[in-house]
């Protein structure tokens, strides 16, 4: 098989595409889900359509949770074949799938990605952050004088005098996005712990650890933090119209928009493919897609698409996806074998 048609221009076009062309018939593989996985899936779908005798798969966004909800609606040609996700499928989603007849699910880990904090390239000097700063900026309530109080911080300099003296305006992933979980757990909760607030909250609530974590990750709703339910193009649009705004993006999206955005370090580490693969960058996560095994052999090209996606020449360290921020999975060969054998999640446990 030749990848001669997998050109840079094709990749660039696919990487920024919000959705693929509408389906013209059910002979096409149908995919929905994570906006983080979207650029990678769009690249692969475009190349797949050019290099195989199957129609180009239809790729839609909408967020991990929305994609998995559609995935779990049932089995058949009126349901999607693959759900992209920037987090692992939850137990409750597996149960919802089973209740609708989706009992054999294949989990495919495609690699790793990082989430980054970026602002207008000519905007305020947001170049270095710590998790504690984001916690103190975003938390709905902070522990003060032995009790919880509404977050009083309105500017970044209120949070830390070393930060720019501009209003806090953060555009963060909405709750249906897998990126939101990573943001809350690896930035906000970590910042709560780093700042000492977690221990104070534990003392206030009588030692309830679950309640303390929930309090740490409860995001303010006074307009300072704005949930973005669309994909990263919407976040970018908000940044372009808000000079002081900061957005949360996937590394791949940022790397495709370095002419518009500048990125900040987190914990003193600059996000890059190298720092994510080494484990140095603190805000990274695995990326997945989920396949209905019942659709294998029924929907033309489904297995071939999955195999193509995780092939060495596509998802490997020297493949085109690495140019767009995907960090190759060191266990990629195992994933390739699982797809070849059509191994489901229940069989791999």
């Amino acid at each position: 098989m030749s990848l001669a048609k997998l050109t840079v221009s094709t990749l660039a076009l696919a990487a920024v595409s919000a959705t693929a062309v509408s389906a013209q018939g059910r002979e096409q593989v149908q995919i929905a889900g994570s906006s983080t996985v979207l650029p990678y899936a769009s690249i692969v779908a475009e190349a797949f359509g050019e290099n195989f005798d199957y129609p180009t798969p239809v790729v839609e966004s909408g967020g991990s949770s929305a994609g998995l909800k559609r995935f779990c609606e049932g089995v058949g040609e009126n349901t999607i074949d693959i759900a992209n996700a920037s987090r692992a499928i939850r137990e409750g989603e597996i149960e919802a799938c089973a209740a609708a007849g989706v009992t054999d699910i294949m989990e495919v880990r495609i690699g790793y990605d990082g989430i980054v904090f970026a602002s207008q390239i000519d905007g305020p000097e947001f170049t270095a952050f710590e998790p504690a700063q984001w916690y103190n900026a975003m938390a709905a309530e902070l522990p003060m004088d032995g009790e919880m109080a509404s977050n009083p911080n309105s500017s970044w300099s209120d949070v830390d005098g070393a930060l720019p003296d501009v209003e806090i305006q953060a555009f963060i992933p909405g709750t249906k996005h897998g990126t939101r979980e990573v943001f809350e757990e690896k930035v906000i909760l970590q910042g709560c712990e780093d700042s000492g607030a977690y221990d104070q909250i534990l003392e206030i609530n009588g030692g309830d650890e679950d309640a303390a974590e929930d309090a740490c990750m409860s995001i303010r709703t006074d307009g300072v933090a704005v949930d973005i339910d669309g994909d990263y193009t919407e976040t970018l649009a908000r940044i372009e119209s808000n000079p002081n705004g900061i957005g949360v993006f996937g590394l791949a999206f940022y790397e495709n928009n370095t002419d518009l955005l500048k990125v900040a370090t987190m914990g003193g580490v600059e996000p890059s493919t190298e720092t994510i693969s080494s484990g140095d960058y603190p805000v990274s996560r695995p990326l997945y897609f989920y396949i209905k095994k019942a659709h294998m052999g029924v929907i033309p090209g489904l297995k071939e698409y999955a195999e193509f996606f995780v092939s060495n020449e596509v998802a490997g360290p020297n493949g085109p996806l690495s140019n767009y921020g995907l960090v190759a999975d060191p266990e990629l060969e195992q994933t390739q074998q699982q797809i070849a054998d059509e191994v489901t999640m229940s069989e791999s446990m």
Side-chain angles (χ1 to χ4, degrees):
M1 178 190 65
S2 169
L3 289 183
K5 296 182 180 179
L6 198 59
T7 62
V8 173
S9 59
T10 296
L11 294 177
L13 178 64
V16 299
S17 173
T19 57
V21 180
S22 298
Q24 296 178 352
R26 195 51 185 105
E27 72 274 7
Q28 291 173 299
V29 174
Q30 293 187 347
I31 306 162
S34 168
S35 59
T36 300
V37 179
L38 175 66
Y40 306 123
S42 296
I43 289 169
V44 177
E46 186 78 13
F48 182 78
E50 293 182 350
N51 287 278
F52 289 79
D53 292 328
Y54 296 104
T56 300
V58 177
V59 186
E60 299 177 86
S61 186
S64 299
S65 296
L68 285 164
K69 183 177 180 180
R70 288 182 62 185
F71 182 82
C72 291
E73 288 176 351
V75 173
E77 64 179 23
N78 293 325
T79 65
I80 64 172
D81 311 301
I82 292 176
N84 293 329
S86 56
R87 60 167 175 79
I89 189 171
R90 298 170 181 148
E91 187 61 37
E93 289 166 333
I94 294 174
E95 293 171 357
C97 270
V102 185
T103 54
D104 292 324
I105 301 171
M106 297 168 59
E107 181 180 74
V108 179
R109 188 173 63 211
I110 65 170
Y112 293 83
D113 183 41
I115 66 170
V116 306
F117 302 80
S119 56
Q120 274 196 22
I121 197 164
D122 297 322
E125 286 300 303
F126 294 121
T127 56
F129 284 117
E130 297 290 337
Q133 295 168 332
W134 273 83
Y135 164 71
N136 284 311
M138 296 288 101
E141 295 184 322
L142 298 173
M144 298 180 182
D145 300 322
E147 61 183 17
M148 300 301 291
S150 295
N151 192 333
N153 297 319
S154 60
S155 71
W156 284 103
S157 59
D158 290 338
V159 171
D160 188 322
L163 293 173
D165 185 19
V166 297
E167 64 177 350
I168 302 170
Q169 188 72 85
F171 301 101
I172 64 176
T175 54
K176 68 181 181 180
H177 290 286
T179 309
R180 178 60 170 259
E181 275 190 21
V182 181
F183 173 71
E184 290 178 345
E185 294 177 5
K186 294 199 171 186
V187 180
I188 303 303
L189 179 57
Q190 185 64 53
C192 184
E193 294 172 351
D194 293 348
S195 68
Y198 178 79
D199 292 334
Q200 295 178 54
I201 296 171
L202 268 182
E203 187 173 343
I204 292 170
N205 71 16
D208 188 329
E209 295 182 354
D210 289 340
E213 288 192 2
D214 289 343
C216 283
M217 294 188 291
S218 180
I219 303 297
R220 58 199 298 181
T221 57
D222 56 0
V224 168
V226 178
D227 281 8
I228 301 298
D229 290 327
D231 59 29
Y232 294 131
T233 57
E234 181 181 345
T235 307
L236 178 60
R238 295 296 190 99
I239 295 294
E240 290 177 330
S241 60
N242 292 269
N244 296 333
I246 304 173
V248 177
F249 300 92
L251 175 66
F253 187 91
Y254 159 71
E255 289 187 335
N256 283 310
N257 291 278
T258 53
D259 58 328
L260 301 173
L261 297 168
K262 64 175 178 291
V263 74
T265 60
M266 181 59 72
V269 181
E270 185 172 350
S272 69
T273 299
E274 292 73 25
T275 58
I276 291 171
S277 61
S278 67
D280 292 333
Y281 185 66
V283 198
S284 60
R285 71 294 179 68
L287 303 178
Y288 304 89
F289 62 80
Y290 292 88
I291 310 171
K292 290 175 186 170
K293 184 174 179 178
H295 286 198
M296 288 286 203
V298 177
I299 302 301
L302 178 57
K303 184 171 183 176
E304 290 80 0
Y305 167 83
E307 291 179 324
F308 179 63
F309 200 127
V310 300
S311 64
N312 291 333
E313 57 194 338
V314 173
N318 299 314
L321 298 188
S322 67
N323 296 329
Y324 290 87
L326 184 73
V327 176
D329 191 336
E331 298 179 355
L332 191 60
E333 185 175 341
Q334 179 180 329
T335 299
Q336 294 165 352
Q337 191 60 52
Q338 288 178 332
I339 293 176
D341 295 340
E342 299 184 12
V343 177
T344 64
M345 292 180 67
S346 59
E347 293 169 334
S348 63
M349 291 178 179

